[in-house]
């Protein structure tokens, strides 16, 4: 698998770190990683994309890897960055998927680039905070409850907390990643968090904090604030995938998104965890996404 990395310079002087693989003339599949995550190819997603002639494009959100930090960014801001990256790659229309914290960013692309993002999928993606009908923290593992509590207090409280949390991740291995995630791992996730999959997740965590915690911090703060767009702006162009054995982003988040995006393709999966989706459902996810894009 040939992988390319490049820095794309934006008109405002910032850089976005970009990873690509697959056919250069293929329809781009823009991949939004979770929180925190670095630029490490998800080999299952990349292989499934290649089988369908798609070009895998993953961008590091501001503050991760070589992407210039952008304090105060909101979820909506990812759309303009993705558009600029695709311009630099010579690409036009695209489809988008986002896992976990990448879910809202995938939806943002569909909401704010309606003539360009043909369809978007949120996979175990977080819902908006402070909205009626969603108890944001209910059912989350204790680590996420604590982290989000600091996020609600603001950057001054969150920064030292994440700096402490980042230390063990800087050298975490595949054999250690399940223990490092602690109470966030459900039984369903523990069963699949082995071998190459565990090694890739650990590598992504190491890469996420290699340059510090700015990306992680600004993701959390963006989730604690208004997204900058309404979920109903993606009506008819979004798919929601969520498992009921998820302790990172509980089932209620997927249920809320499914209920508030008109015409959404809804896939609420019994027995699925947070991490299992890209192992067990990626072929269905991409086939559904491409059908939706048509």
């Amino acid at each position: 698998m040939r992988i390319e990395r490049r820095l794309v310079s934006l008109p405002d002087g910032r850089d976005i770190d970009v990873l690509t693989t697959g056919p250069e003339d293929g329809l781009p599949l823009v991949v939004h990683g979770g929180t925190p995550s670095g630029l490490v190819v998800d080999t299952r997603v990349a292989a499934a994309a290649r089988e369908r002639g798609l070009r895998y494009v993953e961008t590091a959100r501001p503050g991760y890897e070589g992407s210039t930090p952008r304090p105060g960014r909101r979820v909506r801001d990812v759309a303009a960055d993705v558009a600029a990256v695709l311009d630099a790659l010579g690409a036009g229309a695209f489809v988008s998927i986002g896992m976990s914290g990448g879910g809202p960013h995938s939806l943002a692309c569909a909401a704010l680039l309606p003539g360009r993002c043909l369809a978007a999928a949120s996979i175990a993606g977080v819902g908006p905070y402070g909205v009626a009908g969603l108890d944001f923290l209910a059912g989350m593992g204790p680590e996420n409850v604590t982290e989000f509590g600091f996020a609600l207090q603001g950057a001054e409280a969150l920064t030292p907390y994440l700096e402490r949390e980042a230390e063990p991740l800087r050298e975490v291995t595949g054999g250690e990643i399940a223990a490092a995630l602690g109470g966030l791992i459900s039984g369903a996730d523990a069963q699949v968090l082995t071998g190459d999959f565990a090694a890739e997740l650990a590598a992504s965590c190491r890469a996420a904090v290699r340059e510090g915690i700015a990306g992680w911090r600004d993701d959390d703060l963006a989730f604690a604030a208004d997204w900058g767009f309404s979920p109903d702006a993606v009506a008819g162009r979004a798919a929601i995938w969520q498992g009921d054995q998820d302790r990172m982003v509980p089932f209620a988040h997927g249920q809320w998104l499914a209920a508030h995006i008109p015409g959404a393709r809804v896939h609420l999966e019994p027995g699925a965890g947070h991490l299992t989706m890209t192992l067990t459902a990626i072929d269905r996810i991409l086939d559904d996404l491409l059908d939706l894009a048509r």
Side-chain angles (χ1 to χ4, degrees), residues 35-36 141-144 147 165 168-169 172 176-186 189 193 197-198 201-202 205 216 247-248 274-275:
T35 301
E143 293 86 349
N144 271 10
E147 181 178 329
E165 292 298 298
L169 295 183
V172 72
E176 299 165 341
I177 190 63
L181 293 173
L184 299 174
I185 298 296
S186 68
D189 286 329
L193 197 52
F197 182 53
L201 181 59
C205 288
W216 188 357
R247 291 183 54 77
M248 295 191 199
H274 189 78
L275 302 173

Side-chain angles (χ1 to χ4, degrees), residues 50-233:
R50 182 182 293 273
E51 288 174 2
R52 291 158 178 81
L54 302 174
R55 185 182 190 186
Y56 179 109
V57 178
E58 185 170 1
T59 63
R61 290 190 291 277
Y64 289 116
E65 298 273 22
S67 294
T68 310
R70 187 181 182 182
R73 61 177 165 90
R74 293 198 290 171
V75 171
R76 66 166 289 139
D77 294 328
V78 73
D81 289 353
V82 166
V85 166
L86 293 177
D87 288 345
L89 296 176
F94 68 101
V95 291
S96 177
I97 63 172
M99 286 76 79
S100 190
H105 294 91
S106 179
L107 297 177
C109 288
L112 298 162
L113 300 171
R116 194 167 186 180
C117 182
L118 304 178
S122 172
I123 306 166
V126 65
Y129 177 73
V131 294
L134 177 60
D135 187 340
F136 193 89
L137 298 177
M140 279 190 183
E143 293 86 349
N144 271 10
V145 172
T146 299
E147 181 178 329
F148 201 74
F150 282 109
L152 292 174
Q153 296 176 49
E156 289 189 5
L158 180 61
T159 297
Y161 171 77
L162 292 182
E163 287 174 342
R164 293 191 299 272
E165 292 298 298
E167 281 305 310
L169 295 183
R170 296 188 194 282
E171 297 182 0
V172 72
T173 66
E176 299 165 341
I177 190 63
L181 293 173
L184 299 174
I185 298 296
S186 68
D189 286 329
Q191 290 181 6
V192 301
L193 197 52
T194 60
D196 290 344
F197 182 53
E200 284 183 9
L201 181 59
S204 178
C205 288
R206 294 194 302 270
V209 298
R210 183 182 297 125
E211 302 298 328
I213 54 85
W216 188 357
R217 177 198 63 211
D218 294 342
D219 269 0
D220 280 354
L221 295 174
F223 299 144
D226 183 87
W227 285 359
F229 67 94
S230 173
D232 63 12

